[in-house]
């Protein structure tokens, strides 16, 4: 008897979701846009998201491609490749800096110096990838 009651209760819970659906979501499933063409587009959420992420009619699969975007990207790649391949392009390495922690201490006239950092330049910045060498007098 308990097993029959449990199975009936489970069936009622599972089948009862159909009536609850209208109470939980009162909106229609089949949305029909009634806006005029001059007021914008009527799109579902996934399509609006795709259009906002990929403007100029380009879709996720790449079926419709914007030629000007491809040309601009190719010109950026070409400029970057030229910079990387040119050995005479100078590059400045940053200096090496050492950070030193100074703990609190008492000075000569009973002054208190609190914790602080001091920064020291260990190696100066250097130019690399150049063939020009400077002669010191």
């Amino acid at each position: 008897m308990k097993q029959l009651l449990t199975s009936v209760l489970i069936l009622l819970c599972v089948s009862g979701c159909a009536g609850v659906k209208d109470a939980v979501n009162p909106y229609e499933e089949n949305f029909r846009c009634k806006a005029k063409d001059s007021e914008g587009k009527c799109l579902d959420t996934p399509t609006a998201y795709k259009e906002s992420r990929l403007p100029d009619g380009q879709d996720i699969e790449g079926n419709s491609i914007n030629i000007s975007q491809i040309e601009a990207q190719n010109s950026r790649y070409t400029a970057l490749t030229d910079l990387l391949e040119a050995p005479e392009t100078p590059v400045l390495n940053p200096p090496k800096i050492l950070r030193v922690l100074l703990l609190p201490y008492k000075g000569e006239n009973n002054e208190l110096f609190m914790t602080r950092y001091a920064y020291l330049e260990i190696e100066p910045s250097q130019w690399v990838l150049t063939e020009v060498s400077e002669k010191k007098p």
Side-chain angles (χ1 to χ4, degrees):
M1 183 68 179
K2 273 188 166 178
Q3 188 177 15
L4 179 65
L5 186 59
T6 307
S7 61
V8 169
L9 184 60
I10 291 173
L11 285 174
L12 283 175
C13 288
V14 171
S15 65
C17 293
V20 177
K21 179 182 151 198
D22 293 332
V24 173
N25 184 10
Y27 302 106
E28 295 179 25
E29 292 288 327
N30 298 325
F31 174 72
R32 302 277 184 226
C33 181
K34 297 175 182 138
K36 299 175 187 173
D37 289 339
S38 62
E39 295 177 354
K41 295 181 182 180
C42 289
L43 301 173
D44 58 342
T45 304
T47 307
Y49 177 75
K50 286 178 186 176
E51 283 195 10
S52 69
R53 298 289 296 153
L54 302 168
D56 300 330
Q58 182 181 10
D59 61 1
I60 296 290
E61 292 81 26
N63 295 333
S64 171
I65 298 172
N66 187 350
I67 302 299
S68 64
Q69 283 182 328
I70 292 175
E71 289 175 357
Q73 188 68 31
N74 286 340
S75 68
R76 285 187 219 114
Y77 286 148
T78 304
L80 183 61
T81 303
D82 291 343
L83 279 173
L84 292 175
E85 289 178 351
E88 64 273 355
T89 303
V91 176
L92 183 63
N93 273 349
K96 289 190 180 179
I97 305 294
L98 178 66
R99 183 174 76 166
V100 179
L101 173 64
L102 300 172
L103 297 174
Y105 63 94
K106 194 181 343 175
E108 293 177 9
N109 296 328
N110 208 20
E111 303 103 354
L112 176 64
F113 293 93
M114 293 300 295
T115 305
R116 63 187 182 279
Y117 287 101
Y119 296 89
L120 306 169
E121 184 178 22
I122 303 301
E123 290 182 13
S125 59
Q126 295 178 345
W127 289 101
V128 292
L129 297 178
T130 59
E131 295 179 11
V132 179
S133 60
E134 295 183 17
K135 295 181 181 177
K136 295 183 180 179

